[in-house]
């Protein structure tokens, strides 16, 4: 299954998640794969919902993994019948910080964490889009950042915040010095997607392809075994932002994605049209972006004033 997942260019995270769900399913059923039926999947998904009380998104991920397993490994379609309906995710309003709360949060951060958090808010990028940013995707001349292979495998362009331009330059200068030290110590490459490593043999050791926010230590690629300087782990920034929110006494569930939500909401507050915000966020459907109009209390209608304030 892992070989097939890699053939279809699934990410290493999806590969690990799908493999884990299939192993759990096989362990619970206790039956050989050739004897498995669609009703076994129904029972497993119901077990997750009723006994394990997992969220709708977790149950859907398990369903996707088992659907892949049946289709590509067992070579038959998964038929859950009319009696089973996968749980649908309810709509939740996003957590949005005020401008003052964003400023207080950023003041509690320092160094690389402050720069990264500032870019999340200033560009609207998703966390992993920022983490996977390459040197060549930062264009200081045109004042923009190119987001490669975003959600849905789409590229897009976001503005480079002027406030963080000089800090980002200094960070890249320090990052270049780290890169040069790596070159002196030995052949250290960077991960390249798909077949780029074969198409461009020298790209893996080229400065332009290096991660902007690299890990502080070297590691070995779990697939190829090569020694590499990978990007920083996302938990590093997540934990830093959560601790900063506590120090800033912000009474909201603050995480990295809250900065993306705040970016979109503050743009709409400033008068930008929703299509522009949709493009900057990389949403395939404008209905996804429309959620922020509800946060603004402006769902296409004049602002609603509470009767308590009449």
């Amino acid at each position: 299954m892992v070989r097939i997942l890699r053939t279809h260019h699934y990410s290493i995270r999806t590969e690990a998640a799908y493999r884990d769900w299939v192993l759990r399913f096989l362990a619970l059923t206790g039956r050989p794969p050739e004897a498995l039926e669609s009703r076994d999947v129904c029972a497993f998904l119901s077990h997750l919902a009723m006994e394990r009380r997992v969220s709708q998104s977790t149950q859907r991920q398990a369903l996707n993994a088992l659907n892949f397993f049946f289709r590509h490994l067992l070579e038959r379609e998964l038929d859950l019948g009319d009696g089973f309906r996968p749980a649908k995710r309810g709509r939740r309003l996003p957590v949005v910080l005020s401008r003052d709360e964003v400023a207080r949060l950023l003041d509690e951060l320092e160094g690389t964490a402050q720069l990264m958090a500032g870019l999340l808010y200033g560009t609207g990028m998703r966390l992993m889009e920022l983490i996977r940013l390459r040197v060549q995707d930062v264009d200081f001349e045109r004042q923009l950042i190119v987001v490669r292979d975003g959600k849905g495998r789409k590229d897009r362009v976001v503005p480079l915040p002027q406030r963080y331009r000089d800090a980002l330059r200094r960070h890249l200068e320090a990052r270049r010095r780290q890169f040069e030290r790596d070159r002196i110590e030995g052949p250290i490459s960077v991960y390249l997607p798909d077949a780029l490593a074969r198409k461009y043999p020298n790209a893996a050791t080229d400065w332009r392809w290096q991660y902007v926010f690299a890990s502080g230590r070297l590691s070995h690629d779990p697939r190829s075994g090569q020694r590499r300087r990978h990007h920083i782990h996302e938990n590093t920034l997540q934990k830093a932002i959560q601790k900063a929110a506590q120090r800033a006494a912000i009474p909201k569930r603050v995480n990295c994605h809250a900065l993306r939500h705040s970016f979109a909401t503050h743009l709409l507050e400033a008068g930008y049209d929703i299509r522009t915000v949709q493009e900057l966020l990389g949403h395939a459907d404008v209905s996804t972006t429309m959620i922020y109009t509800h946060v603004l209390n402006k769902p296409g209608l004049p602002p609603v004033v509470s009767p308590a304030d009449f």
Side-chain angles (χ1 to χ4, degrees):
M1 188 179 77
V2 168
R3 286 198 299 271
I4 297 175
L5 283 165
R6 294 180 183 178
T7 301
H8 286 76
H9 301 291
Y10 280 76
S11 71
I12 192 169
R13 295 167 183 269
T14 304
E15 174 188 312
Y18 278 24
R19 181 180 57 192
D20 183 57
W21 280 120
V22 170
L23 289 174
R24 291 190 194 186
F25 171 65
L26 294 175
L28 186 68
T29 58
R31 302 173 64 188
E34 59 273 11
L36 293 172
E37 300 178 0
S38 296
R39 62 181 180 179
D40 296 314
V41 176
C42 291
F44 178 70
L45 296 175
S46 298
H47 164 76
L48 292 178
M50 302 299 294
E51 298 180 32
R52 303 296 298 175
R53 297 186 178 276
V54 302
S55 66
Q56 296 96 328
S57 60
T58 300
Q59 187 196 47
R60 188 165 293 276
Q61 185 188 62
L63 173 58
N64 291 339
L66 295 177
N67 187 48
F68 185 94
F69 176 66
F70 267 69
R71 178 175 298 173
H72 296 284
L73 272 297
L74 304 184
E75 297 183 343
R76 59 178 185 267
E77 292 296 322
L78 184 61
D79 182 13
L80 300 181
D82 297 332
F84 179 82
R85 288 289 183 273
K88 293 184 178 180
R89 182 183 300 178
R91 190 182 69 178
R92 298 287 186 270
L93 291 179
V95 175
V96 175
L97 306 179
S98 68
R99 295 177 186 274
D100 176 68
E101 288 172 332
V102 171
R104 285 160 47 201
L105 177 70
L106 294 176
D107 285 343
E108 292 295 336
L109 295 166
E110 58 183 16
T112 304
Q114 185 183 63
L115 173 60
M116 294 179 72
L119 289 175
L120 284 179
Y121 171 64
T123 64
M125 284 189 285
R126 299 176 178 90
L127 173 60
M128 292 311 300
E129 291 172 346
L130 175 70
I131 294 289
R132 293 169 177 158
L133 194 64
R134 309 273 182 161
V135 171
Q136 63 183 350
D137 296 328
V138 180
D139 192 335
F140 287 102
E141 295 299 323
R142 298 172 60 199
Q143 302 300 316
L144 55 84
I145 295 174
V146 181
V147 180
R148 306 282 185 185
D149 200 19
K151 195 171 183 179
R153 307 208 73 177
K154 296 180 295 184
D155 295 352
R156 71 181 191 278
V157 174
V158 296
L160 172 61
Q162 295 298 301
R163 176 174 295 184
Y164 299 104
R165 181 181 58 183
D166 292 340
L168 185 55
R169 281 187 185 276
R170 292 192 296 270
H171 174 81
L172 285 174
E173 289 170 359
R175 177 71 185 89
R176 183 62 184 261
R177 292 192 293 270
Q178 181 188 53
F179 169 71
E180 295 298 340
R181 290 195 298 269
D182 287 345
R183 294 183 66 181
I184 294 173
E185 292 177 5
I188 297 173
S189 61
V190 70
Y191 167 76
L192 295 180
D194 302 333
L196 285 177
R198 293 194 300 272
K199 187 175 182 180
Y200 306 109
N202 298 323
T205 55
D206 191 317
W207 163 242
R208 295 170 297 176
W209 283 96
Q210 304 304 306
Y211 289 113
V212 173
F213 300 103
S215 172
R217 57 185 179 182
L218 300 173
S219 60
H220 287 85
D221 188 285
R223 289 179 172 178
S224 66
Q226 288 183 310
R227 188 165 174 252
R228 288 175 172 162
R229 176 141 345 241
H230 204 49
H231 58 63
I232 192 173
H233 198 282
E234 63 272 19
N235 285 351
T236 304
L237 183 59
Q238 289 171 333
K239 292 178 181 178
I241 286 180
Q242 290 172 356
K243 291 179 180 178
Q246 293 175 355
R247 292 193 297 269
I250 300 175
K252 295 178 180 178
R253 187 174 176 269
V254 181
N255 54 26
C256 295
H257 219 58
L259 293 172
R260 174 175 162 88
H261 295 322
S262 303
F263 163 85
T265 305
H266 295 170
L267 281 181
L268 292 173
E269 287 177 341
Y272 286 91
D273 65 275
I274 197 160
R275 291 290 182 179
T276 299
V277 177
Q278 176 194 358
E279 289 294 325
L280 291 173
L281 292 176
H283 288 162
D285 195 330
V286 71
S287 62
T288 307
T289 318
M290 287 291 291
I291 191 68
Y292 299 108
T293 64
H294 294 273
V295 177
L296 286 170
N297 194 22
K298 296 179 182 178
L301 299 171
V304 176
V305 179
S306 169
D309 297 326
F310 288 171

